[in-house]
Amino acid sequence: MTQLALVIDLNVCVGCHACVTSCKQWNTSGSAGPLLDANPYEKDPTGTFFNRVQTFEVGEYPDTQTVHFPKSCLHCEDPPCVPVCPTGASYKRKEDGIVLVDYDKCIGCKYCAWACPYGARELDEGRKVMTKCTLCVDRIYDETKPKEERKPACVMACPTNARLFGDIHDPESEVAKAIAERDGYQLMPEWNTKPANHYLPRRKTEWQQAAEASLSGLGERR
Amino acid sequence: MQATLGSRVRGNDFMNPAFSVVFLTTLCGLGQGLFVMTLLGHIIGAQPRYLLLGSTLAFLLAAFGLIASFFHLGRPERAWRSIMQFRTSWLSREVIALPVFMGLVVLYWLALRSGSDSALVIGIVAFAACVALWICTGMIYTCLAFIQEWASPYTMANFILISLASGSTLALCVALFSDWGLVHLLAYLSVLLTISAGLVRGASLLRNAQLKPKSTLQSAIGIANAKITQRSMGATGGSFNTREFFHGQTMAFLRSIKWLFIALTFVVPVLLLVIALNGAPSFLVLFAMLAQAVGLVFERWFFFAQARHPQNLYYQVVS
C-alpha cells in the first residue's frame, strides 16, 4: 500500500520560508480554494497556511544550535482527526494515504483540530471550513506537468533540498532509504498516530567530529 | 521581533472555551437531569401538572442547547451532514441522540396530555435516549487521548452527576409550583446529588492538578536536548492555532473562576437547600437553582479552559 509523505532534513533546512510561501501561492490559487490572508499590511496580520517554519534554539550557550523546523500535516497512518469528523469531510485516501478535507462537506466544527496533537489543521476563517496540507494532490498527479515537477510545491521550492517526497512504504524509494539510513523519526510517537512524514536529525559536521576525536584523544593521553 | 503572546505566557497554555459549547453542554445536561427527575415523579405518582411542566422545561432546555450548538459551526447550513459518521464519531452520535431524546420527550408529553397508559413506557425509552446522550457527550471529550485533562472516566461522571444535581434542583423549583408532595424528596435528592457531584468534581480537579504532560518540546520536535527554547512560531501575527488553543487569561483569573464555580455550583445550593429544609422560606430554593445554573456556566468554562493541548508546544513565541 502506498503512503506518500514528506521527509524533512533538519540538517540542511536554513529556515528561508520558501516552502511556506510557495505552498500558500500554489494552494491559494489551486483547487484548495483561496486561503485567508487578512490584514497583510496592518497591525495584526493573520491567515491560513498549510505549512509553517518554526525556529528553536537547542542547547545552552555557548553550545547552542538553531534548528529550523518546518511543520505541516504529517498524514498520519492512524490519523486521530479522521474518525472524529461527524460529516466524513475528513478522510484518508486508501490509494496513497493522503489525509484530505472535503471542503464542501466540512461544517467547521473544529473537532478535528482538537483531535490533532500537532496543530496541523487551521480553520480558514474566511471560508469557515477546516484546511490543511494536501501534499499538493492537485499537482502531484497532474499529467500536463513534466514528471520531475509532479511534486508538492514546497519540495520544488526548497533551495537546500531539505524536503524529500515519495512513498515511504516502498523500500526502494528515496524517502524510505533516507529514513532507514539517516534515522528518520516521527513527531510525538507517544500518541501512536504513526505520522507518515518523517524528520531527519542533525548530523555532526566533519569539523565537529574531528574536534571531538582530538579532544577524546587528549583525554586518553592524560 | 519577539514577544510572548501578551498575557499568554508559558504554563498558561490552555484551550479557549467556546461559549456555544459551554451552553450546549450545560443546557442539555440541565434538561436531561430535569427529565430524569420528572420520570422519577411519574414512577412515584406525582401530579400530572408536575410531569407536564417538567417535561416541557426539559424539552425547551435541550432545544436551547441544540440552538446554541449551531453557533459553534462555521457552516451551520450544513449541520445536517453531521449525522453521517455515527459509526466512528461520538460527535455524530451526539447529534443523533439529542434530537431523538427531544422527540421522545415530546411524545412523552403528548402521551401525558392525552392520559395514555403508554406514557410511562415512552418515558422509559426517553430515559434510555437520555443515557445515550450522556455517554455521547462525555465520550466526545474522553476519547481525545492526548488532552489528558479530559481523557478520564471523571469527564463522563462529572457530566452525568452535575446534570442530575442541577436537574433535581430545577425539578424542586418546578415542584414548588406544581406538586408540594414532591418537595421534600426532591430537596433531599438535590442536596445528595449536589454533594456527590461536588465530591467527584473535586476529585477530578485533584487528578488534573497532578497530571504530567506526556508530550514535551523534546517529543514535539524530536530532539533529545534538555534545553530547547522556541524562537519563532513562524508567524508575526496570531493564527487559528493561537486563537483556538490559548484563552489568554492569567492563572489568577483561572483560579478565581475555579473557586467561583465550586462555590456557586456546589456549596451555595447545598447551604440554601439545607436552610430551606429547616423551615426557612421556600423561595430560597429558587436562589439555590439560580446560583447553581450560573455556577454551571463557570464550571463548564473551566472544564474547557483547563484543557492543555499538545499543539501549544509549537506555539510558544510570536515572531
Side-chain angles (χ1 to χ4, degrees), chain B residues 46-63:
Chain B
Q47 302 277 343
R49 271 203 317 170
Y50 168 79
L51 305 181
L52 284 168
L53 203 56
S55 48
T56 306
L57 266 180
F59 172 81
L60 287 176
L61 286 164

PDB file of all heavy atoms in Angstrom, chain B residues 46-63:
ATOM      1  N   ALA B  46     -46.519  11.309  40.901  1.00  0.00           N
ATOM      2  CA  ALA B  46     -46.631  12.760  41.055  1.00  0.00           C
ATOM      3  C   ALA B  46     -47.846  13.288  40.304  1.00  0.00           C
ATOM      4  O   ALA B  46     -48.441  12.589  39.482  1.00  0.00           O
ATOM      5  CB  ALA B  46     -45.372  13.436  40.533  1.00  0.00           C
ATOM      6  N   GLN B  47     -48.190  14.565  40.626  1.00  0.00           N
ATOM      7  CA  GLN B  47     -49.311  15.213  39.942  1.00  0.00           C
ATOM      8  C   GLN B  47     -48.983  15.383  38.455  1.00  0.00           C
ATOM      9  O   GLN B  47     -47.846  15.689  38.104  1.00  0.00           O
ATOM     10  CB  GLN B  47     -49.532  16.619  40.519  1.00  0.00           C
ATOM     11  CG  GLN B  47     -49.802  16.662  41.996  1.00  0.00           C
ATOM     12  CD  GLN B  47     -51.267  16.394  42.298  1.00  0.00           C
ATOM     13  OE1 GLN B  47     -52.118  16.489  41.416  1.00  0.00           O
ATOM     14  NE2 GLN B  47     -51.557  16.030  43.530  1.00  0.00           N
ATOM     15  N   PRO B  48     -49.985  15.222  37.581  1.00  0.00           N
ATOM     16  CA  PRO B  48     -49.751  15.426  36.141  1.00  0.00           C
ATOM     17  C   PRO B  48     -49.183  16.813  35.835  1.00  0.00           C
ATOM     18  O   PRO B  48     -48.398  16.964  34.900  1.00  0.00           O
ATOM     19  CB  PRO B  48     -51.141  15.265  35.527  1.00  0.00           C
ATOM     20  CG  PRO B  48     -51.911  14.459  36.506  1.00  0.00           C
ATOM     21  CD  PRO B  48     -51.351  14.772  37.866  1.00  0.00           C
ATOM     22  N   ARG B  49     -49.576  17.820  36.627  1.00  0.00           N
ATOM     23  CA  ARG B  49     -49.065  19.173  36.366  1.00  0.00           C
ATOM     24  C   ARG B  49     -47.537  19.215  36.450  1.00  0.00           C
ATOM     25  O   ARG B  49     -46.862  19.867  35.667  1.00  0.00           O
ATOM     26  CB  ARG B  49     -49.649  20.152  37.398  1.00  0.00           C
ATOM     27  CG  ARG B  49     -50.957  20.761  36.959  1.00  0.00           C
ATOM     28  CD  ARG B  49     -51.225  22.056  37.646  1.00  0.00           C
ATOM     29  NE  ARG B  49     -50.908  22.010  39.077  1.00  0.00           N
ATOM     30  CZ  ARG B  49     -50.880  23.084  39.848  1.00  0.00           C
ATOM     31  NH1 ARG B  49     -51.129  24.268  39.326  1.00  0.00           N
ATOM     32  NH2 ARG B  49     -50.589  22.996  41.118  1.00  0.00           N
ATOM     33  N   TYR B  50     -47.001  18.537  37.460  1.00  0.00           N
ATOM     34  CA  TYR B  50     -45.540  18.472  37.633  1.00  0.00           C
ATOM     35  C   TYR B  50     -44.897  17.784  36.429  1.00  0.00           C
ATOM     36  O   TYR B  50     -43.890  18.249  35.886  1.00  0.00           O
ATOM     37  CB  TYR B  50     -45.215  17.728  38.925  1.00  0.00           C
ATOM     38  CG  TYR B  50     -43.747  17.340  39.073  1.00  0.00           C
ATOM     39  CD1 TYR B  50     -42.794  18.262  39.481  1.00  0.00           C
ATOM     40  CD2 TYR B  50     -43.323  16.032  38.800  1.00  0.00           C
ATOM     41  CE1 TYR B  50     -41.468  17.902  39.607  1.00  0.00           C
ATOM     42  CE2 TYR B  50     -41.997  15.662  38.926  1.00  0.00           C
ATOM     43  CZ  TYR B  50     -41.065  16.601  39.330  1.00  0.00           C
ATOM     44  OH  TYR B  50     -39.755  16.247  39.442  1.00  0.00           O
ATOM     45  N   LEU B  51     -45.508  16.697  36.007  1.00  0.00           N
ATOM     46  CA  LEU B  51     -44.936  15.932  34.895  1.00  0.00           C
ATOM     47  C   LEU B  51     -44.956  16.751  33.609  1.00  0.00           C
ATOM     48  O   LEU B  51     -43.965  16.788  32.853  1.00  0.00           O
ATOM     49  CB  LEU B  51     -45.702  14.622  34.693  1.00  0.00           C
ATOM     50  CG  LEU B  51     -45.809  13.714  35.918  1.00  0.00           C
ATOM     51  CD1 LEU B  51     -46.566  12.442  35.567  1.00  0.00           C
ATOM     52  CD2 LEU B  51     -44.423  13.370  36.447  1.00  0.00           C
ATOM     53  N   LEU B  52     -46.089  17.457  33.373  1.00  0.00           N
ATOM     54  CA  LEU B  52     -46.199  18.248  32.139  1.00  0.00           C
ATOM     55  C   LEU B  52     -45.219  19.418  32.150  1.00  0.00           C
ATOM     56  O   LEU B  52     -44.507  19.673  31.176  1.00  0.00           O
ATOM     57  CB  LEU B  52     -47.634  18.760  31.974  1.00  0.00           C
ATOM     58  CG  LEU B  52     -48.641  17.704  31.511  1.00  0.00           C
ATOM     59  CD1 LEU B  52     -50.060  18.218  31.651  1.00  0.00           C
ATOM     60  CD2 LEU B  52     -48.360  17.313  30.060  1.00  0.00           C
ATOM     61  N   LEU B  53     -45.166  20.104  33.299  1.00  0.00           N
ATOM     62  CA  LEU B  53     -44.273  21.258  33.410  1.00  0.00           C
ATOM     63  C   LEU B  53     -42.810  20.813  33.292  1.00  0.00           C
ATOM     64  O   LEU B  53     -42.003  21.423  32.578  1.00  0.00           O
ATOM     65  CB  LEU B  53     -44.527  21.943  34.757  1.00  0.00           C
ATOM     66  CG  LEU B  53     -44.150  23.407  34.897  1.00  0.00           C
ATOM     67  CD1 LEU B  53     -44.827  24.245  33.829  1.00  0.00           C
ATOM     68  CD2 LEU B  53     -44.536  23.916  36.289  1.00  0.00           C
ATOM     69  N   GLY B  54     -42.477  19.720  33.998  1.00  0.00           N
ATOM     70  CA  GLY B  54     -41.101  19.217  33.971  1.00  0.00           C
ATOM     71  C   GLY B  54     -40.660  18.807  32.575  1.00  0.00           C
ATOM     72  O   GLY B  54     -39.577  19.178  32.111  1.00  0.00           O
ATOM     73  N   SER B  55     -41.522  18.066  31.870  1.00  0.00           N
ATOM     74  CA  SER B  55     -41.102  17.600  30.539  1.00  0.00           C
ATOM     75  C   SER B  55     -41.078  18.760  29.543  1.00  0.00           C
ATOM     76  O   SER B  55     -40.235  18.777  28.641  1.00  0.00           O
ATOM     77  CB  SER B  55     -41.986  16.450  30.054  1.00  0.00           C
ATOM     78  OG  SER B  55     -43.345  16.752  30.232  1.00  0.00           O
ATOM     79  N   THR B  56     -41.963  19.743  29.706  1.00  0.00           N
ATOM     80  CA  THR B  56     -41.924  20.917  28.819  1.00  0.00           C
ATOM     81  C   THR B  56     -40.597  21.648  28.979  1.00  0.00           C
ATOM     82  O   THR B  56     -39.910  21.957  27.994  1.00  0.00           O
ATOM     83  CB  THR B  56     -43.074  21.896  29.159  1.00  0.00           C
ATOM     84  OG1 THR B  56     -44.293  21.182  29.130  1.00  0.00           O
ATOM     85  CG2 THR B  56     -43.123  23.040  28.158  1.00  0.00           C
ATOM     86  N   LEU B  57     -40.242  21.911  30.256  1.00  0.00           N
ATOM     87  CA  LEU B  57     -38.989  22.634  30.508  1.00  0.00           C
ATOM     88  C   LEU B  57     -37.778  21.831  30.026  1.00  0.00           C
ATOM     89  O   LEU B  57     -36.836  22.395  29.458  1.00  0.00           O
ATOM     90  CB  LEU B  57     -38.848  22.911  32.003  1.00  0.00           C
ATOM     91  CG  LEU B  57     -39.359  24.257  32.500  1.00  0.00           C
ATOM     92  CD1 LEU B  57     -39.142  24.336  34.013  1.00  0.00           C
ATOM     93  CD2 LEU B  57     -38.614  25.396  31.802  1.00  0.00           C
ATOM     94  N   ALA B  58     -37.814  20.523  30.256  1.00  0.00           N
ATOM     95  CA  ALA B  58     -36.693  19.675  29.830  1.00  0.00           C
ATOM     96  C   ALA B  58     -36.511  19.773  28.323  1.00  0.00           C
ATOM     97  O   ALA B  58     -35.387  19.910  27.818  1.00  0.00           O
ATOM     98  CB  ALA B  58     -36.935  18.224  30.245  1.00  0.00           C
ATOM     99  N   PHE B  59     -37.627  19.748  27.589  1.00  0.00           N
ATOM    100  CA  PHE B  59     -37.546  19.868  26.128  1.00  0.00           C
ATOM    101  C   PHE B  59     -36.969  21.223  25.730  1.00  0.00           C
ATOM    102  O   PHE B  59     -36.071  21.308  24.885  1.00  0.00           O
ATOM    103  CB  PHE B  59     -38.934  19.689  25.499  1.00  0.00           C
ATOM    104  CG  PHE B  59     -38.949  19.997  24.026  1.00  0.00           C
ATOM    105  CD1 PHE B  59     -38.529  19.053  23.105  1.00  0.00           C
ATOM    106  CD2 PHE B  59     -39.340  21.249  23.563  1.00  0.00           C
ATOM    107  CE1 PHE B  59     -38.511  19.348  21.749  1.00  0.00           C
ATOM    108  CE2 PHE B  59     -39.317  21.550  22.213  1.00  0.00           C
ATOM    109  CZ  PHE B  59     -38.904  20.602  21.299  1.00  0.00           C
ATOM    110  N   LEU B  60     -37.486  22.285  26.364  1.00  0.00           N
ATOM    111  CA  LEU B  60     -37.029  23.633  25.988  1.00  0.00           C
ATOM    112  C   LEU B  60     -35.529  23.802  26.250  1.00  0.00           C
ATOM    113  O   LEU B  60     -34.809  24.381  25.430  1.00  0.00           O
ATOM    114  CB  LEU B  60     -37.819  24.695  26.766  1.00  0.00           C
ATOM    115  CG  LEU B  60     -39.266  24.873  26.308  1.00  0.00           C
ATOM    116  CD1 LEU B  60     -39.993  25.879  27.200  1.00  0.00           C
ATOM    117  CD2 LEU B  60     -39.317  25.334  24.843  1.00  0.00           C
ATOM    118  N   LEU B  61     -35.068  23.274  27.393  1.00  0.00           N
ATOM    119  CA  LEU B  61     -33.640  23.410  27.712  1.00  0.00           C
ATOM    120  C   LEU B  61     -32.783  22.678  26.682  1.00  0.00           C
ATOM    121  O   LEU B  61     -31.773  23.209  26.198  1.00  0.00           O
ATOM    122  CB  LEU B  61     -33.364  22.870  29.114  1.00  0.00           C
ATOM    123  CG  LEU B  61     -33.864  23.771  30.249  1.00  0.00           C
ATOM    124  CD1 LEU B  61     -33.905  23.009  31.563  1.00  0.00           C
ATOM    125  CD2 LEU B  61     -32.982  25.006  30.370  1.00  0.00           C
ATOM    126  N   ALA B  62     -33.200  21.457  26.336  1.00  0.00           N
ATOM    127  CA  ALA B  62     -32.451  20.706  25.319  1.00  0.00           C
ATOM    128  C   ALA B  62     -32.489  21.444  23.985  1.00  0.00           C
ATOM    129  O   ALA B  62     -31.491  21.497  23.254  1.00  0.00           O
ATOM    130  CB  ALA B  62     -33.026  19.301  25.173  1.00  0.00           C
ATOM    131  N   ALA B  63     -33.648  22.054  23.672  1.00  0.00           N
ATOM    132  CA  ALA B  63     -33.772  22.791  22.404  1.00  0.00           C
ATOM    133  C   ALA B  63     -32.839  24.002  22.394  1.00  0.00           C
ATOM    134  O   ALA B  63     -32.171  24.272  21.386  1.00  0.00           O
ATOM    135  CB  ALA B  63     -35.219  23.232  22.200  1.00  0.00           C
TER     136      ALA B  63
END
